[in-house]
Amino acid sequence: MLSLLFLLLLTQGNLSTSDQLPQNIFILAGQSNMAGRGGVANNTKNGTPSWDGIVPAQCQPNPSILLLSASLTWVLAHEPLHADIDYNKTSGVGPGMPFANAVLTRLPNFGSIGLVPCAIGGTAIREWAKGGFLYDQLVRRTQFALQSGGVIRAMLWYQGESDTEIREDADAYKGRLSRFFIDLRADLGYPTLPIIQVALASGEGPYVEIVRNAQLGINLPDVQCVDAMGLPLEPDRVHLTTPAQVQLGETLTDAFLQSLPNPIHITNYSSRRFSNLMSHFFIGPLLRFALLLVAFT
């Protein structure tokens, strides 16, 4: 009987562990507007940036949304998503949480989501080139995320504000961005990795339109572009406000859903759902019965 009890406990433990692993992986990469600066403003007393801590309903934690931390562990996702990745800056609300929540709302049977934050504020596209720290970190974190048994669904990419300051950088942006996408797909072994990029709403220099035209003109398969122009900005005129980030997250959801096959089939979800049903209706009662037998012997 004790051996049976041990086997049941082991089985139950394995089911609980598997429930904590994400089935659908999304990469969040780029610079500050992807890392999230919604609700971040300079403190009027000391001039240092601080986050107001306001988390809209669309950004609330969900047990089906996990986050890959800087220490490569899966934890419950919550704002600010990039707090331990973009750690030299003050992060606030970004598009990742409203995107993930919107996906689960519109696809209730989609399965658990794992967000892989990789965005770093103030970075130019040349810093994301293959061989650099940012590129290597993105590949390493994504490869680790895949060890959990999930699949990459898409990369969400929002970057370019730093490339609007110098004309040469703006002119070179399209070629550098295309090379980055091609290299990343090759190194992840996923030549058709869906990429949803955001066309700039703002910039740090005078060449915003050159960079925007480059983003809107990318001609690679399975690369979509959503336009952030016109979304409300914080007083710094560079970063999106919290409501704007929520709106952007939902726009990214629309783009992602348009790229899916219809209907979407996720076999991992079905098998895990069956495991959960077995645990609830069979393993759980049997375990309780075994514990009662042990107590009275």
Side-chain angles (χ1 to χ4, degrees), residues 151-154 181-182 184-194:
V151 296
I152 307 178
R153 294 296 175 188
F181 288 163
I182 292 169
L184 182 63
R185 285 170 160 175
D187 287 333
L188 292 178
Y190 193 171
T192 59
L193 170 69

Side-chain angles (χ1 to χ4, degrees), residues 163-199:
D163 292 274
T164 65
E165 297 183 279
I166 300 173
R167 178 63 186 259
E168 289 77 8
D169 287 338
D171 289 339
Y173 189 84
K174 186 174 183 179
R176 289 170 175 171
L177 183 64
S178 297
R179 185 74 261 164
F180 166 66
F181 288 163
I182 292 169
D183 286 340
L184 182 63
R185 285 170 160 175
D187 287 333
L188 292 178
Y190 193 171
T192 59
L193 170 69
I195 297 172
I196 308 173
Q197 64 159 334
V198 182

Side-chain angles (χ1 to χ4, degrees), residues 29-102:
Q31 58 179 112
S32 55
N33 270 315
M34 177 55 75
R37 298 292 187 265
V40 175
N42 285 334
N43 187 297
T44 55
K45 294 183 179 180
N46 55 28
T48 60
S50 60
W51 177 44
D52 60 18
I54 297 174
V55 180
Q58 300 92 331
C59 303
Q60 292 294 327
N62 183 319
S64 294
I65 305 175
L66 302 178
L67 170 78
L68 188 66
S69 71
S71 60
L72 299 179
T73 56
W74 288 111
V75 298
L76 181 68
H78 62 82
E79 298 287 9
L81 294 179
H82 282 76
D84 65 345
I85 296 294
D86 195 17
Y87 57 86
N88 285 325
K89 307 290 197 314
T90 301
S91 293
V93 173
M97 281 301 290
F99 167 81
N101 273 312

